Every structure is written in C-alpha cells, then in structure tokens.
Amino acid sequence: MSAVKTDIIEVHICTGTAGVASGAFEVMDAFNEVFKSKNVPAIVKERECKVKKTGCRGLCERDVLVDIYLPGEEVATYEHVTPDKVQTIVDEHIGGGEPVKKWAAKKSYYDFYKLQKRYVLKDCGVVDPEDIDDYIQLGGYEAITKVVKEMSPEDVIEEVKKANLRGRGGGGFPSGLKWTFCRKSPGNHKYLVCNADEGDPGAFMDRSIIEGNPHDVIEGMLIAAYAIGCNEGYIYLRAEYPLAIARVKKALKVAEERGYLGDNILGTDFSFKLHLKEGAGAFVCGEETALLASIEGERGMPRPRPPFPAVKGLWQKPTNVNNVETYANLPMIIKNGSEWYSNIGTEKSKGTKIFALSGKVKSTGLVEVPMGITVRELIYDVGGGIPKKRKFKAVQMGGPSGGCLPEDLLDTPIDYDSLIAAGAMMGSGGVVVMDETNCMVNIAKFFLTFTQRESCGKCIPCRVGTKTMLDILERISEGNGREGDIELLESLAEDIRVSSLCGLGQTAPNPVLTTIRYFRDEYEAHIYDQKCPARECSELIEFVVKDERCKKCGICKKVCPVDAITWEKGQVAYIDKETCVKCRECIVNCPFNAID
C-alpha cells in the first residue's frame, strides 16, 4: 500500500448497513467532536481534518471499520471502533504518529482482500456515496461523457460485446446481445430497468453497491440507455433497504441538477429520465417479468415468454432489464476498454463477480473475485476456512435456487458454465458455507421452505409441486420417511423444473436435487436408520455429553437457554433430557465436539 498523497487528514468511516447498525454515525459524531474540541494534538490544529462516510468495505463482521489517512503515511485501518476509542486514536495515532495496535486491523483483515480484485467495489470505502463531487473527483461520469461525445450507440454495444460482459443477475446472458435485441425492436419509446430487488437469504451485493456508490450504477444505466435508445428508466429497489433508497433519491436529484439526467444531457440531444420504484419485498419480483408487472402497479407475477421484455416489456414497450452489478461494470469497461476487461476472468466468463460469503466460515462478508477462482480459494484463502477446527461439508452457491457442492468439488472454478455442470449456479452471488454440524436434509428443507413461501402461486407445478416436496422433506427430517421418498422427490423435482412458468419454479428443486446427488446417504440414514448423521434434526436425536471428549470447561452450561445442563468446575457436564429443548446451542458452541 502506497503512502497517502494529501495535505489533509481524512478519517473514512464505513456507513453501509452493517456499519450503521454497529454505530457508525455515533463514531462519526465522536470524531467530529474531538476534532472541534480545544484539547486536540497540534497536527489537528494545523491541518484540515475531514471525517467522511463511505460504503461497505466487505468485511462487515469487523464493523465499525475506520481508515486513517495521514499525509505521507500508509492508510491505517481500525476494527470494531466505538465512540469511546476515538479520543485515544486521535491522540496516539493522528497526534503521536503511533497506531493503536490493540485496535488495529489484524493479519486476517488483509488476508481477506489478498486474492480479491475489487473493480466494481474499488471506490466503496473511499467515495462518499452522498457527494457527487467526490465521485467526479475519482473519475465519475467520465465514461458517459466519452460515450455521448465520442461514440455512437452501435460503438457502445460493440464494446460491451467485445468485453463479453454477461448479466450478473444469475442467468449470465451476454449483455451486448441483450441490448441489441432491445435496440432493434421497433418503437420510439423504450425503457431501461435496473433490477435491485435482491431477495435471496444472505445476499447483500446489490444493496452494498447502491449504498456505497449509487452514482456508479446511475452512470452505468446512462451508458446502457444511450446504447439501446431508451429515454426513460426505473431503478426497482426493495423498500426494506431504507439506506439505499435514501442515497439513490439524493443521487438522482443531484445528478439531474448537474445535467447528467433529464433533457439534453451534457449539452447533447440524448435525454434520459430515471425514476425510483420501491418494491414491496416479494422474492418473485426478482424475475424480470414479475418486476415489470410490479412497476406497472399490478401484482408481481411472471408472464409467459416469449414475447421477451426486449420486444414487449414495460407497458408493452421494448424494455431492457439488467441487475445492479451489471450496470456497475459499464463505466470501467468504457474507460479502460474491452481488451482490458476481457483479460480478467476466464475464456467464457469475463471480469469479476461479487459474492456474499456467509455461514460456517471465519471471515464473512462481501468479496469481489476474478472469474475462474476456485471454490476452495474463495472459502479458505479469502474466507479463512472453517472455524472451530470443524470439517467442511458443503457450500450452497446461487442463493435459494442454487445447489450444494460437496468437498470433492471444492476445486471447481467459479464461472457460469462450471458451476452449472456441477449442479450449482452463479445466481446473484450468495455463498453459504456449511460444516459437519449441518444436516443436508434440513438444508434442502430450509431453502425449499423459502422458495415455496415466495411462490406467487400462478402456475400449478410451482405452487403445488414445491409444497408436496416440502411435505416429504418435513416427514423425512421428523423420522417418518418412507421407502421410495427419495425417488419421489427426484421425480417431482424434474416435473417442476421443466413445467414451471418462471425461473423461481424452474430452479426451486435445485437444493433438493444436489443434496440427494451428493449426500444421498444422509437421506437414507434418516429414512432407514432413523438417524441424523449431523445431529441436527431434533426428532431423531438426544443430546449427551461424551465423557472422554469433555474438557470440563462449562461453556455448554453458559449457552443453554433453558438451564438443562448441570456442570461444576472440574466436572463433566450433564444434560437433563427432560428439560432439554434440543436447540443445539451446546453443540454449536462446544469447541471440543464433546456433545453427541
């Protein structure tokens, strides 16, 4: 990391959703108060001091994250900052030149970023998401200026085709080809839509991009609108993202005031009006035709295709729909060129992909890695591996409609085609890591419960089929499985996959199919042996402490919510089976795997 080339002192504070929840605004207030007080080091009095809010850095579990920028010195990062630590950081680090080591970022923080290639997220953590001038100073809106003044719409589409940018919403369809369809569709009025309806459990990629750098997404939409010939657009953003909504509203207003939106943009004949539409939180509205219905004021339900939105979309007009991450890639493609971009990633999957890494992994958060990195590298080199010395078991990739991959597929490259061949999918970017304490039958039930609940009910295969599959999974996990249940699940899954109306139904069986494909023995153990090998399904287990493994530490007693565990110092713990509610807190928290 190079030394900071600035004459002012800057303090950057993560104010993404996780940062705000951890007290980022209170930390900001504390820095401002200290800088304004009389009792400050001489350097603070001599130089301008700026406290700046930024977007998500990715390692959300370490919030509140604070970066200190001092003239001529490398950037220093602090983790878990609270208001009471601010005075000490100002006195000892900013004033005395000695970082406060006990609060400074540890090696694992820097390891988290070592293999990442942060291109889409490069300005998150640096740019103030509510300051257009900050964005412009970092090169913002240079790409759209180049587009409208130096390139034809056909030139832009050709550049995107050469870059081989594929849609980041999950399908991976070539963006340039999709734009061509919409541009060639007849009609003078066309629409451009940004799908920011991120509804996957554990997914927060689009949210973090918009919260951290909304102008980047707006600029990407401007580039796409110019290329396709759209003069009006919508950002469809779910209402559960209040911080993202507030920042988008502010960004739209100031962008129009500065001449980047509205009529005759940058003094040209290109005009583009952009609106914000708040979604009500239905997962199915992530499907583009259901999303369009919602914008129109109708119930969010999918429509049969063809015709595709590029021909007949919003209000029956040609419409292009891409997701947040796709648009956010466009400014750097235009500025750096398609040749530069196509050198990142693999032959068929170019660029980077942002993932939300969660579950049983040491470092959880938002990561941006080049296409082609292996699943193993993502989990172990970026995520730090499995905590508590437990064994890796599976990873769910692609959100609730993705698949679960076992240990022998850890070296699968992360690209669209390789993941599909393995039974998973890129999806929007959710990655959930599981260890030996996770039951794969229960995992399949968890994700199918979500997709079944979120089904719009329009088509019978999805509405009835997923409910029937879920009933079977519940029976199996309760110890009431029957011979032939596994085959019945496979048959139902295939019927639902080929006959459902939209992508939600078509992909809903994926978690079930992949857990049967790779962990069939666990299903058989539940059905034929009345056992849950992972010790997770409460109907099939009783909790006992294994004397030979118990270290007599008493952790299990401390975490038991119903006081079902008896323990005294130096003694082996004992679990009262009558009181125990099988919540698994003791298993999850025991560092010695002493509970069976």
Side-chain angles (χ1 to χ4, degrees), residues 258-380:
R258 296 293 186 90
Y260 294 110
L261 286 174
D263 296 326
N264 304 116
I265 293 170
L266 296 172
T268 68
D269 58 1
F270 170 52
S271 299
F272 183 63
K273 296 179 180 179
L274 189 53
H275 315 284
L276 174 65
K277 170 67 176 178
E278 296 181 30
F283 177 67
V284 73
C285 285
E287 196 278 335
E288 60 182 8
T289 61
L291 181 152
L292 298 179
S294 179
I295 293 177
E296 293 171 349
E298 304 293 331
R299 181 180 175 188
M301 300 178 79
R303 300 167 180 170
R305 298 181 298 177
F308 289 90
V311 178
K312 284 188 177 181
L314 196 58
W315 290 294
Q316 300 300 302
K317 304 292 185 182
T319 304
N320 181 82
V321 184
N322 285 119
N323 92 316
V324 171
E325 190 178 343
T326 307
Y327 288 123
N329 271 272
L330 295 173
M332 65 178 171
I333 290 176
I334 296 299
K335 285 198 291 186
N336 299 320
S338 57
E339 185 177 350
W340 170 84
Y341 188 82
S342 60
N343 284 325
I344 307 166
T346 66
E347 182 180 354
K348 294 183 179 180
S349 300
K350 302 297 184 183
T352 61
K353 181 71 185 80
I354 301 174
F355 292 98
L357 186 61
S358 62
K360 306 295 182 61
V361 63
K362 289 180 180 177
S363 296
T364 59
L366 204 65
V367 304
E368 182 179 357
V369 293
M371 295 283 195
I373 191 174
T374 65
V375 179
R376 183 187 303 275
E377 289 173 312
L378 177 64
I379 294 172
Y380 285 90

Side-chain angles (χ1 to χ4, degrees), residues 183-222:
R183 178 164 180 80
K184 290 184 177 180
S185 294
N188 294 323
H189 196 100
K190 299 177 181 180
Y191 290 99
L192 190 77
V193 175
C194 176
N195 183 350
D197 189 62
E198 188 176 47
D200 295 13
F204 49 96
M205 297 75 62
D206 293 346
R207 175 184 202 161
S208 296
I209 293 171
I210 287 184
E211 287 179 353
N213 201 355
H215 287 285
D216 195 37
V217 180
I218 293 171
E219 186 174 10
M221 293 188 72
L222 282 163

Side-chain angles (χ1 to χ4, degrees), residues 500-561:
S500 290
L501 176 60
C502 80
L504 186 151
Q506 293 162 8
T507 58
N510 283 350
V512 181
L513 287 173
T514 52
T515 50
I516 291 176
R517 177 179 173 182
Y518 297 121
F519 302 95
R520 194 182 190 95
D521 58 326
E522 286 203 27
Y523 281 83
E524 293 173 345
H526 282 72
I527 296 171
Y528 302 116
D529 301 331
Q530 299 288 290
K531 291 182 180 179
C532 175
R535 305 173 297 168
E536 188 173 39
C537 297
S538 59
E539 298 294 330
L540 300 179
I541 56 175
E542 287 185 348
F543 290 12
V544 294
V545 178
K546 303 298 289 184
D547 293 6
E548 66 276 15
R549 294 206 296 264
C550 180
K551 301 300 181 183
K552 307 173 184 178
C553 63
I555 290 176
C556 55
K557 178 175 175 60
K558 295 176 184 176
V559 300
C560 179

